[in-house]
Amino acid sequence: MNNELLQVKNLSVQYKTDLETVYAVNDVSFSICEGETLGLVGETGAGKTTTALGIMGLLPKRTAHITGGSISYKGRELTELSKKELLGVRGKQISMIFQDPMTALNPVLTVGDQIGETLRLHNTENLSGEAIEKKVDEMLEMVGIPPERKKEYPYQFSGGMRQRVVIAIALICDPSLLIADEPTTALDVTIQAQILSMICDLQRKYGTAVIMITHDMGVVAETCDKVAIMYAGQIVEYGELKDIFTGDDHHPYTIGLFGSIPSLTKKYRRLTPIEGLMPDPTTLPAGCCFAERCSHCQEICRREKPQPVVSGSHMIRCHAADAHLAAASDFFEKDLSRG
Amino acid sequence: MSDVILKVSHLKKYFRTGAGLLHAVDDVSFSVPGGSTIGVVGESGCGKSTLGRTVLRLNEPTDGSVLFEGQELIGASKKTLAKIRPQMQMIFQDPYASLNGRMTVQQLIAEPLIVNRVCRNRREIDQKVSEIMEVVGLSERLTYAYPHELDGGRRQRIGVARALVLDPKFIVCDEPVSALDVSIQAQILNLLMDLQEERNLTYMFITHDLSVVRHISSRIMVMYLGKCVEEADADRLFENPAHPYTQALLAAIPIPSVSSQHVHRTLLQGEVTSPVNPAPGCRFAQRCKYACEACRKEDIPLKEIEPGHFCACVREG
């Protein structure tokens, strides 16, 4: 087993204003080992980006509050770090690729300056200006941009090229964890394929762990080792890639997600979408968040929050899975005690 | 096969820019039989939206002809256009930007009725609006809501209702689901397909999402830099893509299943070149691994490589 790099335990984040409280992330736990890729999947408002910003310590100060849980990175508790200590971690050890390359770059600085900025801020090895420039050239080359173009401004680059610049910024300090927040959503499919294969190559080369935030199950299938499916601020299903894509038991939301994707190989008349909408994050229901849209909803689903049911590496948060899997986990425990 | 409802021939739309002529749509021809769906796919900037708008004459075309039920639209007078327009409508891409935020759902859906003077009095309008709201699945309590109170899926339903309220025969859908989450996207796609069945609608469906286009279309047209590079029946195109660009496009889609993982793909290198004053020859030649001398000499015409399957590539035929 690899070393555990980041462990998020029972994390809860709320956005509070005078009028209302948004329960954005509720009791989320996952972990990621060195060199691994974790997919964080969900629809708009599922709390994916809030989780990422929580790890980065970038949540808006005035409204967002981490109300519980812990984020430990290499044994250090990130939620308790001072601002100064956090600066040493952010950008250096954990860095992030933002969703929209059109807005993530500063339009009045050349791309060379922006890539070098991270290294200048985290210059622990006391590199000279010249050495930094050299490293910038190397980075540009690595992401497939001719180094001569470092004197140009973001507007002179296309969307795909800008995303390459953002990736160069994120990777120049050789981080051990990279958070990619929908890195290819704003791009065309041929460019998306280029960027994804580049992230995977770089990851293999440097052993970086990646948290891949996306809503595209295709991207997950091609890049991830582990998958967490989020719904209304909770992880409803979590497991290895094979658990999610081929396992026997699934959360009804996962089944709905797969049913909503039009197939490229099979032709059928109708899709089987999930009816209805995600619950309002200001007033979450007392029971299971998915109960309103679930076709297997029972009485207990509306009354009680389902607890995670674990079988091996696979976790499902559903009352129905409870009954089904209990037998399996019983067996598993017995097996252990016997062994 | 039913009669051809729309016939587009040699349609061109050039935009004048500081750098020269931008060939947004360059000599595109196709025809659509009534009750079917033609899908138009391509990457951003390939001219698919311009094509949709030009077909409806929302843009004045540079050259070419558009026959709608045998009637020529290009060069038609305002009066004739006003008569035909209710028959052809459009659903826009972004339900967050295409609705006036100061109008209620009721007003938004009634607007096309008022503009086209379809109804005689207020009662008739209200009647029609509530009918159409039920058809697209908007509950009655939302009649006086404003767009900002609604989520993306419901807003797009308003967009569909606005297009549908005049009882058109032909609808141009310009990326109607790309701004929506997958579960909502599936709801809207089902709605569009049900409506097509009930009302025998004809769609021109513009999208960059290949799995969506396969799901909804009977025929598919692939565009690259203003040119149609391949046109075929949906199944044929996906099973047997002929043009190198179509092949690259299909290979680039991430497939949501584990069995296909780690299959080595040939990735397309480089990016789309500029559509301003394009050099003669195949527009794709710069990124094409098969490109040869002949590709750069002159424009490659569409050729029928098998019955109903057209492709613009020198390697074919």
Side-chain angles (χ1 to χ4, degrees):
Chain A
M1 194 70 187
N2 287 333
N3 292 334
E4 200 165 74
L5 191 66
L6 179 87
Q7 192 182 37
V8 175
K9 230 177 176 174
N10 307 103
L11 182 72
S12 297
V13 181
Q14 296 173 4
Y15 293 104
K16 274 189 194 141
T17 63
D18 290 345
L19 296 173
E20 57 191 13
T21 306
V22 175
Y23 300 89
V25 174
N26 308 306
D27 197 12
V28 160
S29 307
F30 58 85
S31 67
I32 180 163
C33 300
E34 280 169 14
E36 229 177 18
T37 306
L38 169 78
L40 216 52
V41 190
E43 297 179 83
T44 316
K48 313 183 292 288
T49 301
T50 303
T51 309
L53 293 179
I55 296 169
M56 291 290 285
L58 286 175
L59 287 169
K61 283 264 139 42
R62 274 214 308 209
T63 49
H65 303 273
I66 295 183
T67 49
S70 74
I71 305 169
S72 86
Y73 170 78
K74 287 185 175 167
R76 280 168 94 186
E77 179 57 43
L78 289 187
T79 50
E80 283 162 10
L81 290 188
S82 71
K83 212 171 157 188
K84 212 169 159 192
E85 288 170 313
L86 201 56
L87 280 179
V89 176
R90 191 164 56 204
K92 172 89 182 150
Q93 300 187 37
I94 308 179
S95 64
M96 188 158 172
I97 301 174
F98 293 92
Q99 178 167 6
D100 188 355
M102 313 295 165
T103 52
L105 295 170
N106 186 336
V108 298
L109 292 180
T110 64
V111 299
D113 280 344
Q114 296 189 54
I115 297 172
E117 188 183 11
T118 329
L119 196 53
R120 276 191 289 277
L121 282 174
H122 297 286
N123 197 352
T124 41
E125 290 158 38
N126 274 323
L127 294 173
S128 64
E130 229 167 78
I132 290 178
E133 284 307 305
K134 208 173 141 239
K135 181 96 188 164
V136 170
D137 290 354
E138 267 169 38
M139 283 317 284
L140 278 170
E141 198 132 341
M142 202 180 68
V143 295
I145 299 176
E148 306 87 80
R149 294 195 66 181
K150 71 175 172 187
K151 296 257 161 59
E152 293 182 18
Y153 291 90
Y155 78 92
Q156 291 164 299
F157 289 82
S158 66
M161 293 289 246
R162 280 185 227 184
Q163 194 60 291
R164 286 167 196 267
V165 172
V166 174
I167 292 173
I169 294 174
L171 290 179
I172 193 166
C173 283
D174 211 354
S176 37
L177 177 64
L178 175 69
I179 302 176
D181 188 2
E182 308 245 10
T184 56
T185 306
L187 306 175
D188 279 319
V189 41
T190 58
I191 309 296
Q192 161 170 303
Q194 290 174 8
I195 297 283
L196 287 181
S197 85
M198 195 183 86
I199 293 179
C200 289
D201 286 348
L202 295 177
Q203 176 184 20
R204 229 167 288 140
K205 206 158 138 199
Y206 295 103
T208 317
V210 178
I211 297 179
M212 180 73 76
I213 299 177
T214 179
H215 63 264
D216 187 334
M217 290 307 248
V219 171
V220 172
E222 299 212 338
T223 57
C224 299
D225 304 311
K226 283 199 283 190
V227 188
I229 294 183
M230 287 190 79
Y231 183 78
Q234 269 188 338
I235 294 182
V236 293
E237 189 168 346
Y238 178 66
E240 311 243 327
L241 193 65
K242 61 172 177 11
D243 295 329
I244 307 290
F245 281 82
T246 57
D248 295 331
D249 292 297
H250 292 291
H251 193 278
Y253 177 64
T254 315
I255 296 170
L257 262 187
F258 277 107
S260 303
I261 311 171
S263 167
L264 278 166
T265 45
K266 274 177 258 154
K267 187 91 180 167
Y268 35 77
R269 187 67 193 129
R270 283 182 67 91
L271 299 167
T272 43
I274 315 163
E275 294 305 328
L277 302 166
M278 202 185 284
D280 185 354
T282 56
T283 47
L284 289 178
C288 173
C289 292
F290 190 63
E292 279 301 314
R293 303 171 77 181
C294 184
S295 52
H296 306 291
C297 180
Q298 300 155 340
E299 213 228 304
I300 184 169
C301 300
R302 292 181 197 279
R303 214 175 46 227
E304 274 175 51
K305 286 223 180 297
Q307 290 307 310
V309 185
V310 184
S311 121
S313 57
H314 194 188
M315 183 280 275
I316 302 175
R317 208 182 263 267
C318 177
H319 286 299
D322 215 352
H324 201 95
L325 278 181
S329 60
D330 268 359
F331 177 77
F332 189 63
E333 268 165 32
K334 268 185 217 148
D335 218 33
L336 275 184
S337 56
R338 223 186 296 143
Chain B
M1 206 66 152
S2 42
D3 297 341
V4 168
I5 190 168
L6 183 86
K7 188 169 164 54
V8 175
S9 16
H10 306 290
L11 194 67
K12 289 179 189 160
K13 174 68 196 174
Y14 299 164
F15 291 103
R16 217 168 296 221
T17 64
L21 270 189
L22 188 152
H23 296 223
V25 176
D26 207 353
D27 203 0
V28 171
S29 307
F30 61 94
S31 53
V32 195
S36 72
T37 302
I38 183 157
V40 181
V41 267
E43 295 178 86
S44 46
C46 73
K48 49 192 193 314
S49 288
T50 312
L51 177 67
R53 296 176 61 91
T54 315
V55 164
L56 295 183
R57 251 191 93 185
L58 294 172
N59 288 334
E60 217 43 67
T62 314
D63 194 19
S65 117
V66 178
L67 287 172
F68 179 74
E69 296 196 301
Q71 231 171 347
E72 178 62 54
L73 292 186
I74 310 304
S77 68
K78 264 196 171 159
K79 226 171 166 181
T80 340
L81 262 189
K83 260 193 218 135
I84 310 173
R85 278 263 169 78
Q87 302 287 318
M88 40 201 321
Q89 291 291 315
M90 185 153 180
I91 299 171
F92 294 92
Q93 174 166 12
D94 187 353
Y96 295 85
S98 62
L99 300 174
N100 185 338
R102 305 189 65 171
M103 288 165 90
T104 63
V105 174
Q106 214 272 347
Q107 288 170 322
L108 283 164
I109 300 175
E111 200 184 13
L113 294 171
I114 297 166
V115 170
N116 287 290
R117 300 209 187 87
V118 184
C119 299
R120 266 161 305 169
N121 52 38
R122 190 78 233 173
R123 262 231 323 276
E124 222 173 289
I125 291 178
D126 289 347
Q127 171 85 31
K128 258 222 139 119
V129 169
S130 69
E131 264 173 39
I132 213 79
M133 281 180 71
E134 200 185 316
V135 169
V136 300
L138 284 167
S139 72
E140 218 185 317
R141 71 189 161 83
L142 297 174
T143 310
Y144 299 105
Y146 287 91
H148 72 90
E149 300 170 56
L150 308 176
D151 57 274
R154 289 221 178 86
R155 273 189 246 195
Q156 197 55 297
R157 281 174 200 268
I158 301 177
V160 176
R162 271 164 70 88
L164 219 59
V165 72
L166 291 168
D167 221 351
K169 290 185 178 140
F170 174 68
I171 301 180
V172 174
C173 311
D174 188 1
E175 307 247 12
V177 293
S178 55
L180 307 172
D181 275 321
V182 287
S183 71
I184 310 297
Q185 168 180 316
Q187 292 174 8
I188 299 289
L189 285 178
N190 276 348
L191 172 70
L192 287 173
M193 291 177 87
D194 290 346
L195 289 171
Q196 178 168 44
E197 223 158 71
E198 277 163 33
R199 302 175 168 228
N200 196 31
L201 291 169
T202 310
Y203 292 137
M204 177 170 162
F205 201 95
I206 300 167
T207 179
H208 66 271
D209 188 329
L210 286 139
S211 49
V212 168
V213 86
R214 166 154 210 196
H215 183 71
I216 200 162
S217 316
S218 28
R219 262 186 101 68
I220 297 177
M221 195 165 103
V222 182
M223 283 185 78
Y224 190 77
L225 280 179
K227 289 271 191 198
C228 167
V229 295
E230 189 166 359
E231 190 196 333
D233 288 340
D235 293 338
R236 179 86 48 89
L237 187 91
F238 274 83
E239 277 151 24
N240 186 19
H243 198 280
Y245 177 64
T246 316
Q247 291 168 358
L249 208 56
L250 295 184
I253 317 169
I255 314 257
S257 94
V258 243
S259 52
S260 61
Q261 209 199 7
H262 304 312
V263 177
H264 198 70
R265 304 181 296 188
T266 40
L267 291 181
L268 202 52
Q269 297 301 316
E271 297 188 19
V272 180
T273 43
S274 161
V276 177
N277 294 336
C282 177
R283 302 285 152 83
F284 186 60
Q286 285 191 6
R287 295 169 83 186
C288 182
K289 58 180 174 184
Y290 307 111
C292 62
E293 194 79 9
C295 302
R296 300 201 176 85
K297 250 197 313 232
E298 51 186 358
D299 283 3
I300 317 293
L302 272 180
K303 262 176 286 187
E304 188 159 15
I305 55 169
E306 52 183 324
H309 189 164
F310 298 86
C311 173
C313 181
V314 283
R315 299 194 313 138
E316 297 291 342

